[in-house]
Amino acid sequence: MKETVQYKIFKVINVIILLLVIYVTLFPFLNVVAQSFSGQAEINAGKVNLIPKGFNLTTYQTILHDKTFWTSYRNTIVYTVLGTLIAMVMTTIFAYVLSKKRLMGRKFFTSMAIFTMFFNGGLIPNYILIKNLGWTNTIWAIVIPGAISIFNMLIMKSFFEAMPEELEEAASIDGSSTYGTFIKIILPLSKPILATMVLFYAVGSWNSWFGAFLYLDQSDKFPVTLYLRNLLAGATSGQSAGATSADDLQQIGANIKAVTMVLTVLPILMVYPFVQKYFVSGIMLGSVKQ
C-alpha cells in the first residue's frame, strides 16, 4: 500500500519529536557522566556538556582504590538482595490474601494497611523500637523496616484480583491445595508484576542511606550510598580519605557529586535490561479457555 504524503509528514514529525524526547531524557545523565571525567577548572567554569573537558580520573582512582568502598559495595549487595527477597515474600503473600473476597475481615485489614500509608509513629519512636529490639548495627535494621510497601502491595492486590477465578477453581478440582495453586499457578502467571516489584524494591533498597545513617555506627557495615554520602561531605568540608594533595582534594570536591551518582546508578542500569522483558502485558492470554 502506497504511503500518502500526509503519512510521510507524520512519520518525519514523529521521529523528530521522539529524538527530542530521547535527547531531553538522556542529556542529564550524559552530562553527569561527562562531569565525572572532567577537570576542576572546566566544571567550575560550566564548560562541560556531553563531552568531558580536562579529562581526569582523580576521583575515580581515589574511590576505587579505597578498600572501604568495596566493603560498602558488598554490604549494599547483601542488603539489597536480602531486603528485596523479604519484601517480595511479605508483599506477595499479603496482597494475595487481601485479593480474596471470601476472606473474613478483608476490608478491615485493607483499611489498616492503607492507614499506615498516611500515619506512622515518627522518626524517634521508630529509632527507639529498633534499639529496644537490639537491631542497631545489624542487618535487620536495614532490611526489616521496609519489608512491605503498602503502595506496592495495593498494586499487586489489584493484579491478583484481575486474574480469572476459573484458574484457581480448575486447580482445586484437580486436587491442588491453596499453597500449591499459589506457587505453581498464580506466581508463574504473575511474572510481569513480580519483576516490576523486584525492580521497585531493589532500586529503593540500593539507593537507601538514611536508615543506615540512623541505625549503623560501624563503618564496616555501611552501604555504599552512605559511604559515598560521607565521602561527599568530607570532600566539601576539606576532609577526604585517599586525597594525597591539595590539588587532588580540589578535584575531588569539583566532581564528587557526578562520580557518586554514576557509581550508584550503574548497577541498576545493568540489571534493568534483564527485568524489562517482563514489562509486557498479555502473558495470561489463552490461560483460560472460553
Side-chain angles (χ1 to χ4, degrees), residues 7 16 21 49 60 65 69 75 87 120 135 151 165 175 177 220 244 263 270 285:
Y7 184 68
I16 293 174
V21 172
N49 290 316
Y60 279 108
H65 283 82
F69 169 76
N75 294 339
N120 59 72
W135 286 356
F151 177 78
E165 295 183 1
S177 64
D220 60 335
T244 59
L263 292 176
M270 296 173 63
L285 185 62

Side-chain angles (χ1 to χ4, degrees), residues 187-201:
L187 291 184
L189 292 175
S190 305
K191 288 181 180 179
I193 192 66
L194 292 177
T196 303
M197 292 299 106
V198 166
L199 185 63
F200 284 173
Y201 277 120

